[in-house]
Amino acid sequence: MSTPLPGTLTLGSFVLPNRLFVAPMAGVTDRPFRVLCKKLGAGYAVSEMVTSRKDLWNSLKTSRRANHEGEPAPISVQIAGTDAAMMAEAAAYNIDRGAQIIDINMGCPAKKVCNKWAGSALMQDEALALQIVEAVVAACAPRGVPVTLKMRTGWCQAEKNAVALARAAESAGIAMVTVHGRTREQGYTGHAEYDTIAAVKAALRIPVVANGDIDTPRKAREVLAATGADAIMVGRAAQGRPWIFAEIAHFLATGEELPAPRVADAKRWLVEHLHDHYALYGELTGMRSARKHIGWAVRALPGGEDFRRRMNALETCDDQVRALTDWLDALAAHHERLPYVPTADDAANDGQHQDEDQERRLTA
């Protein structure tokens, strides 16, 4: 279903098939989800963040995040922390485990991260942020591994320093910058703005990626036009709709919108994803953590909310797969393609829920 866009993008030694990227999201962009998105049209995907704290590297959570078995190249791993030396060591640790690109997190707004001066909190201390960039680049360059940076527009409305920090990062050897069009103060509320992303693009020679509120093919085209960005990064809109990347690619290439996927195709993709998910997490954790993916996939379909409630009461992986298969088969009896219906969850509410979910899930 992948449709490469005209004009590829080069990152280090890798030529990405298109300019549609999966955003790193805590508790979401694990290996099974990244593989699914790449299969359905994404040209590049970044892992959920891995801590720079060495004492946590042997934890089950970190070991799963550092698992890249069977993932198509390039494998990009995001690291987070506040100490330059520790971040450099974390970069080397992840390269040893298969990372081919290292991404530095200066964009996460979750309080549990920012209270420790990691994530977007680093934008308040440009000197420290630059020290981290320099240390990570120094650790990666001898091994031929590009380093990228994800940031916000700034800490708050009065302190938008994305342009200055991006320039410094480029001078220090960063290969690509992604800018989420919100301040840390906004979290995921309100609306993303793209003027700052356009200013960053105008100031840099390296590729710049636009992120924030890209939830339809038309919005993707609008953001590319408004920012002049080299690529776009999609986050929340891919939850439950990983085929959005193919939809965007087709629209950008042809100006025409793809019809919704066939129910039978969506069933096959979702069931394959569930089995991959269970294989990574095991029976109990896999069953519990799969609930959100199933819920996202059905929420915009008729009867989806009622099915989600019933599915959340199931206690085994086999029961989940059987229930989803039966429900989609029943849907296919009346609809060839997924019959999306309006939902009560608008973008603002989704953003607030995602912010709350991330704060619960993240570890320092």
Side-chain angles (χ1 to χ4, degrees):
M1 194 170 179
S2 177
T3 308
L5 291 178
T8 55
L9 191 149
T10 300
L11 187 56
S13 61
F14 296 100
V15 178
L16 307 182
N18 63 42
R19 305 177 184 193
L20 308 177
F21 300 170
V22 186
M25 294 177 284
V28 181
T29 49
D30 53 18
R31 187 202 66 207
F33 187 77
R34 296 193 303 272
V35 169
L36 178 66
C37 289
K38 287 179 178 180
K39 175 182 177 180
L40 297 181
Y44 179 67
V46 184
S47 77
E48 52 187 332
M49 69 182 186
V50 176
T51 179
S52 62
R53 283 180 51 185
K54 195 171 184 177
D55 60 309
L56 295 176
W57 288 350
N58 290 325
S59 69
L60 184 57
K61 178 177 286 188
T62 299
S63 66
R64 284 172 176 153
R65 291 183 175 187
N67 183 320
H68 311 292
E69 296 172 8
E71 181 175 357
I75 295 167
S76 177
V77 175
Q78 185 180 83
I79 59 175
T82 61
D83 181 88
M86 289 172 63
M87 288 285 279
E89 191 174 6
Y93 166 85
N94 282 283
I95 293 170
D96 288 341
R97 281 150 186 79
Q100 298 165 313
I101 297 167
I102 294 293
D103 184 65
I104 299 174
N105 182 331
M106 291 189 195
C108 180
K111 291 177 182 177
K112 190 167 185 179
V113 175
C114 289
N115 286 347
K116 299 180 184 298
W117 290 91
S120 54
L122 285 171
M123 297 188 72
Q124 289 187 100
D125 190 339
E126 291 185 18
L128 175 59
L130 190 56
Q131 287 174 16
I132 289 173
V133 168
E134 291 171 343
V136 173
V137 169
C140 294
R143 305 178 71 167
V145 173
V147 180
T148 62
L149 174 65
K150 189 169 191 291
M151 59 167 53
R152 292 208 160 211
T153 56
W155 178 255
C156 62
Q157 183 66 27
E159 299 177 25
K160 288 188 176 181
N161 59 340
V163 173
L165 187 54
R167 279 178 174 152
E170 179 183 40
S171 297
I174 286 292
M176 182 174 74
V177 171
T178 298
V179 183
H180 183 126
R182 286 182 172 86
T183 64
R184 189 280 155 191
E185 188 177 57
Q186 284 181 268
Y188 293 94
T189 62
H191 299 283
E193 57 92 1
Y194 306 111
D195 289 346
T196 301
I197 302 176
V200 171
K201 171 57 186 172
L204 303 188
R205 297 180 301 277
I206 58 176
V208 173
V209 184
N211 176 225
D213 291 353
I214 300 171
D215 55 4
T216 66
R218 289 184 183 277
K219 186 62 177 284
R221 185 173 67 180
E222 291 170 8
V223 172
L224 284 171
T227 63
D230 300 280
I232 56 172
M233 183 171 277
V234 178
R236 288 169 284 151
Q239 295 173 0
R241 193 173 179 172
W243 41 83
I244 191 173
F245 299 99
E247 293 173 342
I248 292 173
H250 183 82
F251 183 75
L252 293 179
T254 67
E256 300 176 354
E257 294 188 3
L258 278 176
R262 290 181 173 82
V263 177
D265 290 333
K267 181 184 75 170
R268 184 176 74 255
W269 298 329
L270 295 173
V271 169
E272 287 177 358
H273 176 232
L274 285 180
H275 286 304
D276 197 12
H277 187 88
Y278 301 148
L280 178 63
Y281 291 99
E283 174 78 19
L284 181 59
T285 301
M287 177 272 297
R288 290 175 175 172
S289 57
R291 288 170 175 166
K292 61 178 177 283
H293 290 282
I294 298 171
W296 289 329
V298 303
R299 64 183 170 184
L301 299 173
E305 183 60 24
D306 178 64
F307 171 74
R308 184 191 65 81
R309 284 193 294 266
R310 290 187 284 110
M311 180 272 302
N312 281 348
L314 302 177
E315 294 293 340
T316 72
C317 297
D318 286 343
D319 286 345
Q320 279 186 340
V321 171
R322 188 178 304 110
L324 180 63
T325 299
D326 291 347
W327 190 79
L328 288 172
D329 283 344
L331 191 68
H334 301 282
H335 305 276
E336 179 187 6
R337 297 184 179 274
L338 294 177
Y340 293 122
V341 295
T343 66
D345 291 331
D346 58 25
N349 286 337
D350 278 350
Q352 291 169 353
H353 296 160
Q354 177 70 7
D355 197 12
E356 294 164 359
D357 288 346
Q358 282 190 328
E359 289 182 20
R360 287 193 296 268
R361 289 193 299 261
L362 292 172
T363 59

